[in-house]
């Protein structure tokens, strides 16, 4: 019966179909994010720019999250989750198709603008889909449910570096993958425009109550409570760490392990992102037996240890450390997101907008890491940034265990 609660409410309402439809969106933004990790070194080579300058690729997309999150939240509050999804798909598709004229103009800054439009679209998608999955069933299974949805996100992360690396590091046009994605995304928008999705109001599923963290936290007004604010900080730091690691994986491996960019992109796609998917799938299962905040702490400590190894080592042996990091990162975003929503006190849509805003952390870490690498001529030292982030997430998990005891 515990497995049935994943997609059924206590009243027996079945949310399987909307869950499957919304989960397909996770693949789309996973692909969009992961292909950035190939664009970064590609732009360094093709435009002869520094690591710091190339980090504008990430800054544009993640900056879009910061600027668009509150408008996306307003759209969802005013017109519902479906409107948020359609807005996101349209912006995503338009931004991707802008790469076609961008390839002719061949301007780095035009590409950055196109990525910003994509980032605005992804913001609407994530603001809609992430909280929507958490309320499609028994509230006590929210962390498990969102981790299962995020498995498709992981598949997108695999395909991005693989497709992008195969094309861009073999002399292919940068417009090709984005043209295909743009058309596919707009076709998905047409499908969603014709599908009826159940609209779920803030405050629970069919009147059900979520597991309450503590009397003190629940008594505080609105979203001004320490657990939720700490969740915002933890999510900001996680995205900063993940984006930083992804952005400079190829640079790290080409400089420290002396392998070419195309091979590094394949290791990233099938090794790192493959384990990322495995981690999310197994994490969703394990959370039926181990509480999310506990598993989060275990993975954060392991990621910290592996990143410390990256700071102090070189050579192919560092690849194993990267794989540990990707495996441990897998559950962090969906778990922190779902745990934070437990303290939203009925303000799910507003809380989701604030949580999605923290994805701007992805615009912060790459420039800092790029600057460290450029000035010290050591890619390894730059990984101190994600190391500090993982340590903070481990502290957050310990805090939650005390609050939710």
């Amino acid at each position: 019966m515990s497995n049935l609660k994943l997609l059924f409410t206590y009243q027996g309402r079945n949310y399987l179909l909307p869950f499957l439809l919304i989960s397909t969106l996770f693949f789309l933004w996973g692909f969009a994010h992961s292909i950035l990790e190939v664009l970064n070194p590609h732009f360094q080579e093709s435009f002869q720019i520094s690591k710091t300058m190339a980090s504008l690729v990430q800054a544009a997309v993640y900056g879009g999250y910061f600027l668009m999150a509150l408008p996306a939240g307003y759209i969802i509050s005013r017109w519902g989750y479906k409107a948020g999804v359609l807005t996101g798909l349209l912006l995503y598709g338009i931004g991707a198709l802008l790469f076609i004229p961008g390839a002719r103009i061949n301007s780095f800054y035009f590409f950055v603008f196109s990525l910003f439009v994509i980032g605005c679209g992804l913001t609407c998608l994530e603001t809609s889909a992430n909280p929507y999955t958490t309320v499609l069933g028994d509230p006590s299974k929210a962390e498990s449910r969102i981790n299962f949805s995020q498995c498709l996100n992981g598949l997108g992360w695999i395909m991005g570096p693989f497709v992008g690396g195969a094309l861009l590091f073999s002399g292919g046009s940068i417009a090709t993958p984005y043209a295909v994605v743009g058309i596919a995304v707009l076709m998905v928008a047409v499908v969603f425009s014709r599908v009826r999705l159940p609209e779920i109001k803030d405050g629970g599923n069919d009147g059900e109550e979520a597991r309450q963290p503590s009397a003190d936290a629940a008594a505080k007004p609105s979203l001004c409570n320490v657990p939720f604010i700490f969740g915002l900080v933890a999510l900001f730091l996680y995205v900063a760490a993940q984006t930083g690691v992804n952005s400079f994986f190829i640079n790290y491996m080409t400089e420290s392990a002396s392998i070419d960019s195309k091979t590094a992109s394949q290791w990233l796609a099938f090794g790192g992102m493959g384990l990322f998917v495995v981690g999310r799938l197994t994490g969703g299962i394990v959370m039926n037996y181990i509480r999310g905040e506990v598993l989060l702490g275990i993975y954060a400590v392991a990621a910290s240890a592996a990143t410390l190894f990256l700071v102090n080592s070189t050579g192919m042996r560092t690849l194993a450390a990267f794989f540990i990091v990707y495996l441990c990162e897998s559950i962090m975003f969906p778990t922190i997101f779902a745990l934070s929503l437990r303290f939203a006190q009925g303000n799910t849509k507003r809380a989701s907008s604030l949580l999605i805003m923290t994805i701007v952390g992805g615009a912060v870490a790459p420039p800092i890491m790029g600057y460290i690498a450029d000035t010290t001529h050591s890619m390894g030292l730059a990984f101190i940034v994600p190391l500090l982030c993982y340590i903070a997430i481990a502290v957050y998990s310990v805090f939650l265990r005390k609050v939710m005891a």
Side-chain angles (χ1 to χ4, degrees), residues 304-325:
S304 300
T307 309
L308 181 61
F309 184 81
L310 292 174
V311 172
N312 294 290
S313 302
T314 58
M316 283 299 294
R317 60 183 180 173
T318 57
L319 190 59
F322 269 113
F323 288 167
I324 292 172
V325 170

Side-chain angles (χ1 to χ4, degrees), residues 15-242:
Y15 285 127
L16 177 60
L17 181 58
F19 176 79
L20 293 177
L21 288 172
I22 288 295
S23 294
T24 61
L25 302 177
F26 287 69
F27 174 87
L28 294 177
W29 75 67
F31 183 92
H33 282 299
S34 63
I35 201 171
L36 297 181
E37 325 317 343
V38 178
L39 284 182
N40 192 307
H42 171 73
F43 284 147
Q44 289 176 41
E45 295 175 7
S46 60
F47 291 106
Q48 294 297 301
I49 56 179
S50 67
K51 294 182 179 70
T52 307
M53 179 65 73
S55 67
L56 283 176
V57 168
Q58 277 75 20
V61 173
Y62 292 102
Y65 276 86
F66 183 76
L67 295 175
M68 192 66 187
L70 290 179
Y74 174 79
I75 291 170
I76 296 166
S77 297
R78 181 71 174 81
W79 292 288
Y81 286 108
K82 183 176 178 178
V85 168
L86 290 174
T87 303
L89 289 171
L90 289 174
L91 288 173
Y92 184 173
I94 291 169
L97 292 178
L98 283 175
F99 269 72
I100 298 175
R104 293 183 176 275
I105 298 171
N106 199 33
S107 165
F108 173 68
Y109 294 105
F110 187 87
F111 286 129
V112 169
F113 170 73
S114 303
L115 290 168
F116 173 77
V117 175
I118 291 175
C120 290
L122 299 179
T123 307
C124 292
L125 289 181
E126 293 212 46
T127 307
S128 305
N130 279 305
Y132 198 57
T133 59
T134 66
V135 296
L136 290 175
D138 180 3
S140 69
K141 298 293 182 181
E143 294 90 28
S144 182
R145 193 161 46 246
I146 194 173
N147 269 282
F148 279 123
S149 287
Q150 290 276 1
C151 288
L152 286 176
N153 177 261
L155 290 176
W157 280 92
I158 291 176
M159 295 304 297
F162 175 68
V163 174
L167 287 172
L168 300 183
F169 296 132
S170 299
S173 172
I174 192 173
T176 302
Y178 277 96
V180 174
V181 169
I183 294 171
V185 167
L186 292 178
M187 290 175 64
V188 172
V190 172
V191 173
F192 266 88
S193 69
R194 297 177 177 274
V195 173
R196 183 179 179 277
L197 294 177
E199 188 62 30
I200 300 175
K201 298 179 180 180
D202 277 345
N205 307 322
D206 300 337
E208 297 171 33
E209 296 284 335
R211 172 166 59 98
Q212 294 300 319
S214 72
D216 292 337
K220 292 184 178 180
S222 189
L223 297 174
C224 297
N225 59 80
V226 174
F228 180 76
I229 293 172
F230 202 166
L232 292 175
V233 174
L235 204 59
F236 175 92
L237 294 175
Y238 164 72
V239 178
Q242 182 197 41

Side-chain angles (χ1 to χ4, degrees), residues 372-396:
I372 293 173
D374 286 335
T375 55
T376 65
H377 304 290
S378 171
M379 198 68 251
L381 282 178
F383 278 76
I384 290 176
V385 175
L387 171 61
L388 294 175
C389 294
Y390 295 134
I391 292 173
I393 293 171
V395 173
Y396 168 70

